[in-house]
Amino acid sequence: MAPAFSSILIATELLFLFALAQGQASPRQPIQPASTVVPNNSPAGAPLFKGETIQLTDRVVESLANAPSTAEYADLFAFDDGSGLNSTRRKGFCKTYPGDQNWPSDRAWHVFDSLLDGALIPTVPLAAPCYNSKWGPMDPQKCGHITARFNSPYLHEDDPTSIMFPIYQGRTCMPGNTGNCTLGGFPEYAVNATNVAQIQLALNFARNNDLRLVVKNTGHCYLGKSSGGGALSIWMHNNKQIDFLPEYEGDSYSGPAMKLGSGVTVVEVYAAAEKYGVSALGGISPSVGYAGGYFAGGGHTPLAGLYGMAADHVMAIRLVTADGRFITASEKSHPDLYWALRGGGGGTYGVVTSIVIRVLPKVPVTTAAFSFQSSKNVSKEAFWLAVRKYYELHIPFTDAGTYSFYFIFNQNETKDGELNFDMRSFFAPNHTIESFSALTKPWFDTLKDLGIPWTTKPNQTYFESYYPAYMSSWGHRLFPVGTVKTMAGNRLLPRGHFQDEAKFNATFEVLKQHVANGFHLGGYHQAPRNRANADNAVSTAWRETVSFLIFGSRPVPDNATVVDMKAATDELTDRILKPWRDVAPPNEGGGSYLNEAAVMEPEWQHSFYGLQYERMLGVKRKWDHRGVFYGTTAVGSEEWEVRDGDRGVQTQDGRLCRVSR
Ligand SMILES: Cc1cc2nc3c(=O)[nH]c(=O)nc-3n(C[C@H](O)[C@H](O)[C@H](O)COP(=O)(O)OP(=O)(O)OC[C@H]3O[C@@H](n4cnc5c(N)ncnc54)[C@H](O)[C@@H]3O)c2cc1C
Ligand SMILES: *[C@@H]1O[C@H](CO)[C@@H](O)[C@H](O)[C@H]1NC(C)=O
Ligand SMILES: *[C@@H]1O[C@H](CO)[C@@H](O)[C@H](O)[C@H]1NC(C)=O
Ligand SMILES: *[C@@H]1O[C@H](CO)[C@@H](O)[C@H](O)[C@H]1NC(C)=O
Ligand SMILES: *[C@@H]1O[C@H](CO)[C@@H](O)[C@H](O)[C@H]1NC(C)=O
Ligand SMILES: *[C@@H]1O[C@H](CO)[C@@H](O)[C@H](O)[C@H]1NC(C)=O
Ligand SMILES: *[C@@H]1O[C@H](CO)[C@@H](O)[C@H](O)[C@H]1NC(C)=O
Ligand SMILES: *[C@@H]1O[C@H](CO)[C@@H](O)[C@H](O)[C@H]1NC(C)=O
Ligand SMILES: *[C@@H]1O[C@H](CO)[C@@H](O)[C@H](O)[C@H]1NC(C)=O
Ligand SMILES: *[C@@H]1O[C@H](CO)[C@@H](O)[C@H](O)[C@H]1NC(C)=O
C-alpha cells in the first residue's frame, strides 16, 4: 500500500528529520513485518500450509515493545489477557467509528501496515471510476469494464471489500451512477491476509482499538455479513491452496481427505476431487467460498442424499480466535468450538485459515433437465395436479438419494399468467438411466395422463463421475449477482409435512397461493439427513428437510427510496414468508437456511439455527466474550445493532453498538 499513506510517511519523515536536526531523537529503524516461522508439527493429522507457519507469537509482540520504532504502539498488537472486559460489555457501548477521538492515528495505521508487510488496503469502492469522487475523476473506460461485469461473482471476489448484494452496503457507489460514491457500509480498510501473523495482528489491532471487525472471503453472503461500515476487514480470498491427503490420519477419521485454504471456491474443490479420482461435497454455485461461509452455514449439496451436509465431513479446522491465538479445532482439540464451527454460521467464532474435509468415493450420476407449463391446452388445474404429484413423490425421491433444483414461475407480466415448472437439474447420484427412469416414472406417467406435453423434454444423461454431471447441471453458468434487485428468503419443509395428509394439503395450498399471488420460487428436493452421524451445529431443521424453497422480494431498483425499500421488505416478511413460517414452524421441524435467508426474518434464532441455538450461544460467549466478531443474524448478534438510520431494510452502513435495552 498505499498512495494515501505516502504523504503521511513523508510528513512523518520530515518531522523526524526536523527532530534529528534538533538533536532530540535517534534514527528510527524501518519497521519489519511482525512474524516468525514456526515448526510444521502437523496438528490434527495434516501439515500446516506455508502461510500457517508464519505466525505472531508472544515473543514477536514483546520485541515490538523493545524496538524504538514500534514501542509506543506495541500494546495495540498484544494478545488478549482478559483485562478491561467490562468497558466493552456495557449496554450502549459502540465500536470506535471513523472520526471518533479513539480512532487510531494515521501513524498507528502506518505501523500496522508495516507490521503486516504492506498488506493493508484502504478501501476504494469497486465502481469509484464511475464517479468524480475523493478517489479521483470519473474514468468512463474503467467504469464501462466494471459495469459490464458487475453481475459476475468473480469481479467481486477479486475486490478486497466489494459484496455481491449491494443493498447491504447501502447501495453507495453503484455502477449505474445513481447517487453518490462514498464508503457507505464498506469497511475502511482490508487486510489482504495470506499468513496467520497478518490475521493475528488484525484481530489484536481491532480488538485493542475496539474497532468493528469483518471477515470477507468472496462476498457471496445474501445478508451482508461480509461488509461493515467503519470496520477493519480481513480478506481471505487469496488463500487458494488445496492439498490432497490420500492417507489422512485424523482424530476421528482415517482415509483420503483434502485440506483447503479459506479462499478456495466450490468449483475448485470439485476440480481437485475429479483430478484425484474422488468426490467432494459442495454447493451448486461454483463461485461460493467453501471454507468461508459455505461449510460454516452447513452447506447443502447435490450429494446430500448420500452423505448429508458438507459440514458433516469437515474433520479439522484451523483458525485464529478472538483473543488472537491460532488453534486447531477437531474432535479432540477444542471440541466445543469444533462443534459450533460446523453449521453455526460464518464470521462468528474465529477466522478460519483452513479445513480438512473427508473425501468420498467416485460416484456415477444421472441428471435430467425438463420443463412443462400451463397453456391454452393445459389448464392451471392440470398443471397443479402435475406439480402436486411431484411433491407427493418427495419422500421416495429423497429416499433414493436424489436432489433437484427447479423454478416455478408465474409468468404474470409476460405470458398472461401462465405457469411454468422448470426443472434445471434432477440430480441422481449412484443412479443409472434405468433406475432414474423407474424412479421418475410415476411422475412422468401422471403428466402423460393429464395430457401435459413437455416444453423441454427430459434429457436423461449418465455421467461416470460427479464433476461432469455438476458442470453440465450448474457449473457452466454463473448465478448473476451484483445487479440482483431482490432480497432472498427461504423455508425448509420437514418430511412430516409430506407424510401427514392434512399437513401436506395445507403446505401445498400455501405453495399454490404463493404462485397465484404473482410470485416465483426456486426449489430443491433434498434430504440431508445426518448420514455421517456427525455431532455438530447444523440446524436440526436440515435433518428433517425434504423440500427447500427459496423466495425473492419484489425487485427494488438501485434508486429505490426508503419507503419503497420498506414496502418490499415488509411484503417479503409478512406477505411472502409468513404463510411459510406459519405452515412449517421450528417446533414442527421447519426452519430457514441461514446462508440464503432474509435478513429481516423474525425470530431468526430458532428458524436459522434450530433447536441447538442456546448451545451455540454458550460457545460464542465462551470464545468471544468481548464481541470481536459480529454478523447480522449471527449467533449472539442479538446483543448488538447496526445504527444505519432508517433504510427500510437492515444495512451494514452504520455504527455497531451494543443494544441499549
Ligand atoms: C448464487 C448463490 C448460490 C448459492 N448456492 C449454495 C448452495 O448450493 N449450497 C449452499 O449451502 N449455499 C449456497 N449459497 C450460499 C453460500 O453458501 C453462502 O452465501 C456463504 O455464506 C458464502 O460464503 P463465502 O465465504 O463465499 O462468502 P462471504 O460473503 O465472503 O462470507 C460469508 C460469511 O462467512 C464469513 N467468512 C468468510 N470467510 C471466513 C473465514 N475464513 N473465517 C471465518 N468466517 C468467514 C463472513 O464473515 C460471512 O459471515 C449460495 C449463495 C449464492 C449467492
Ligand atoms: C466488572 O463487572 C462485574 C459484574 O458486572 C463486576 O462485579 C466487577 O466489579 C466489574 N469489574 C470492574 C473492573 O469494573
Ligand atoms: C450526494 O451527496 C450530496 C452531498 O452530501 C447530497 O446533497 C446529495 O443528496 C447526495 N445524492 C444522493 C442521490 O444521495
Ligand atoms: C494480496 O496479496 C497477494 C499475496 O501477497 C498478492 O499477490 C496480491 O496482489 C494482493 N492483492 C491486492 C489487491 O493487493
Ligand atoms: C394445443 O393443442 C393443439 C391440438 O393438439 C395443437 O395444435 C396446439 O399446438 C397446442 N397448443 C399449445 C399451446 O400447446
Ligand atoms: C399479475 O399479478 C397481479 C398481482 O397479484 C394481479 O393483479 C394481475 O392480475 C396479474 N396478472 C395476470 C396477467 O395474471
Ligand atoms: C450405490 O448403489 C449401490 C447399488 O445399489 C449400493 O450398493 C451402494 O451402497 C450405493 N452407494 C452409495 C454411496 O450410496
Ligand atoms: C439438458 O438440458 C439442459 C437445458 O434444458 C442443459 O442445460 C443441459 O446441459 C442438458 N444436459 C445434457 C447432459 O445435455
Ligand atoms: C387433501 O387434498 C386432497 C386433494 O384435494 C383431498 O382429496 C383430501 O381429502 C385432502 N385430505 C385432507 C386430510 O384434507
Ligand atoms: C429511479 O430511476 C428511474 C429510471 O432511471 C426513474 O424513472 C425513477 O423516477 C427514479 N426514482 C427515484 C425515486 O428517483
Side-chain angles (χ1 to χ4, degrees):
M1 105 146 189
F5 273 99
S6 48
S7 57
I8 295 161
L9 197 58
I10 290 165
T12 317
E13 293 311 316
L14 284 175
L15 264 178
F16 162 62
L17 287 176
F18 179 72
L20 197 64
Q22 307 274 303
Q24 289 171 350
S26 56
R28 239 179 206 152
Q29 297 297 313
I31 300 172
Q32 298 301 317
S35 64
T36 188
V37 177
V38 305
N40 197 338
N41 59 359
S42 308
L48 297 174
F49 287 151
K50 181 160 178 283
E52 291 176 322
T53 66
I54 302 173
Q55 300 182 10
L56 186 74
T57 57
D58 288 314
R59 242 206 145 101
V60 175
V61 174
E62 273 164 36
S63 73
L64 299 178
N66 297 330
S69 55
T70 51
E72 190 188 330
Y73 300 96
D75 284 352
L76 300 182
F77 303 100
F79 293 99
D80 192 357
D81 66 1
S83 65
L85 192 60
N86 284 10
S87 63
T88 59
R89 294 195 58 87
R90 113 179 154 257
K91 287 189 191 311
F93 162 82
C94 292
K95 301 257 182 174
T96 306
Y97 201 67
D100 288 356
Q101 206 187 336
N102 295 343
W103 185 256
S105 65
D106 289 347
R107 177 71 198 170
W109 286 106
H110 170 68
V111 169
F112 180 34
D113 182 41
S114 305
L115 299 176
L116 290 168
D117 201 9
L120 189 66
I121 304 175
T123 301
V124 178
L126 178 57
C130 299
Y131 295 79
N132 292 314
S133 72
K134 71 179 211 190
W135 295 285
M138 189 190 287
D139 180 336
Q141 204 180 350
K142 275 193 190 156
C143 173
H145 286 308
I146 291 164
T147 306
R149 289 187 63 215
F150 214 72
N151 70 356
S152 163
Y154 296 117
L155 178 72
H156 303 276
E157 293 192 6
D158 290 342
D159 185 88
T161 53
S162 190
I163 58 171
M164 301 189 196
F165 298 96
I167 285 170
Y168 307 110
Q169 48 87 342
R171 292 175 299 165
T172 181
C173 209
M174 295 302 292
N177 207 329
T178 50
N180 286 327
C181 186
T182 62
L183 270 186
F186 288 121
E188 290 284 313
Y189 293 96
V191 173
N192 178 9
T194 50
N195 66 49
V196 164
Q198 290 165 330
I199 300 167
Q200 294 175 301
L201 285 163
L203 271 174
N204 290 350
F205 187 76
R207 192 187 58 251
N208 294 331
N209 282 300
D210 291 334
L211 301 180
R212 180 174 182 186
L213 184 86
V214 163
V215 188
K216 184 201 160 186
N217 181 21
T218 67
H220 255 289
C221 183
Y222 275 108
L223 301 89
K225 286 155 83 178
S226 36
S227 197
L232 172 66
S233 179
I234 303 179
W235 181 40
M236 299 303 289
H237 164 74
N238 288 307
N239 298 285
K240 287 288 194 182
Q241 198 171 332
I242 299 180
D243 283 357
F244 181 60
L245 309 166
E247 292 171 346
Y248 174 73
E249 296 276 344
D251 290 349
S252 50
Y253 165 72
S254 301
M258 281 203 279
K259 180 173 169 174
L260 312 175
S262 53
V264 168
T265 58
V266 163
V267 74
E268 289 164 347
V269 175
Y270 289 154
E274 176 76 0
K275 180 170 142 197
Y276 296 111
V278 294
S279 305
L281 308 187
I284 67 171
S285 181
S287 55
V288 160
Y290 199 109
Y294 171 74
F295 95 94
H300 69 85
T301 165
L303 294 178
L306 302 185
Y307 298 113
M309 300 288 280
D312 301 344
H313 298 268
V314 173
M315 310 321 296
I317 301 160
R318 301 236 158 77
L319 73 156
V320 183
T321 46
D323 56 4
R325 303 294 179 177
F326 179 57
I327 62 169
T328 299
S330 66
E331 196 74 40
K332 292 197 179 133
S333 172
H334 309 299
D336 60 338
L337 203 47
Y338 176 58
W339 178 85
L341 285 162
R342 294 170 302 146
T348 308
Y349 313 95
V351 181
V352 172
T353 62
S354 69
I355 63 176
V356 176
I357 61 167
R358 165 169 42 208
V359 292
L360 301 149
K362 184 173 160 177
V363 64
V365 182
T366 295
T367 71
F370 48 88
S371 63
F372 58 90
Q373 57 192 338
S374 69
S375 67
K376 288 198 177 62
N377 295 0
V378 176
S379 68
K380 290 208 174 97
E381 199 184 7
F383 175 88
W384 282 121
L385 285 171
V387 175
R388 183 182 170 100
K389 185 69 185 176
Y390 173 47
Y391 284 83
E392 285 172 359
L393 290 166
H394 267 38
I395 289 181
F397 284 173
T398 51
D399 282 351
T402 69
Y403 177 98
S404 72
F405 181 55
Y406 60 88
F407 287 99
I408 300 178
F409 292 111
N410 181 339
Q411 303 174 101
N412 183 296
E413 262 84 54
T414 50
K415 294 196 176 146
D416 253 3
E418 294 298 0
L419 308 177
N420 182 23
F421 182 98
D422 186 3
M423 175 58 75
R424 292 291 166 91
S425 185
F426 191 122
F427 197 90
N430 209 18
H431 278 272
T432 59
I433 300 242
E434 291 69 37
S435 70
F436 182 94
S437 300
L439 184 69
T440 50
K441 187 169 189 303
W443 185 19
F444 292 180
D445 282 353
T446 300
L447 264 79
K448 211 181 286 164
D449 295 346
L450 289 164
I452 302 180
W454 295 115
T455 314
T456 315
K457 251 178 105 155
N459 59 353
Q460 286 96 330
T461 311
Y462 178 82
F463 298 90
E464 293 288 342
S465 67
Y466 180 84
Y467 185 70
Y470 167 78
M471 290 310 282
S472 160
S473 294
W474 298 293
H476 62 273
R477 73 174 97 94
L478 292 173
F479 292 82
V481 299
T483 51
V484 175
K485 312 273 184 250
T486 62
M487 296 175 278
N490 73 73
R491 206 72 197 166
L492 298 167
L493 304 177
R495 186 180 175 100
H497 281 46
F498 292 72
Q499 287 166 327
D500 174 311
E501 196 177 77
K503 274 190 184 151
F504 180 81
N505 283 359
T507 308
F508 197 68
E509 271 316 305
V510 174
L511 179 79
K512 281 169 73 175
Q513 194 56 51
H514 171 90
V515 176
N517 286 345
F519 302 117
H520 313 312
L521 65 87
Y524 301 77
H525 80 252
Q526 58 166 313
R529 289 202 293 278
N530 195 351
R531 296 165 203 274
N533 208 12
D535 178 17
N536 61 30
V538 167
S539 171
T540 44
W542 268 121
R543 304 310 190 181
E544 305 273 327
T545 296
V546 295
S547 167
F548 171 44
L549 302 179
I550 301 192
F551 317 105
S553 71
R554 195 170 288 277
V556 275
D558 289 340
N559 66 353
T561 60
V562 170
V563 173
D564 294 340
M565 189 63 94
K566 181 158 174 19
T569 307
D570 288 350
E571 184 180 51
L572 178 64
T573 309
D574 302 331
R575 187 146 177 256
I576 300 177
L577 294 174
K578 184 169 187 300
W580 293 107
R581 273 200 300 278
D582 290 348
V583 85
N587 63 6
E588 291 183 23
S592 177
Y593 181 34
L594 68 97
N595 264 353
E596 304 183 67
V599 74
M600 306 300 278
E601 181 77 26
E603 292 156 43
W604 50 265
Q605 286 87 342
H606 293 107
S607 275
F608 291 1
Y609 299 90
L611 305 178
Q612 308 189 102
Y613 183 72
E614 282 68 23
R615 183 171 166 195
M616 290 174 219
L617 194 55
V619 177
K620 169 72 175 175
R621 288 188 173 141
K622 173 181 161 195
W623 284 93
D624 186 15
H625 53 173
R626 291 179 198 270
V628 172
F629 294 101
Y630 167 83
T632 184
T633 73
V635 170
S637 63
E638 59 277 76
E639 294 178 11
W640 298 87
E641 62 193 3
V642 175
R643 297 188 184 157
D644 67 344
D646 189 5
R647 302 298 183 92
V649 66
Q650 180 66 59
T651 75
Q652 296 309 309
D653 182 10
R655 212 182 252 276
L656 178 62
C657 301
R658 287 217 183 251
V659 293
S660 351
R661 297 180 294 282

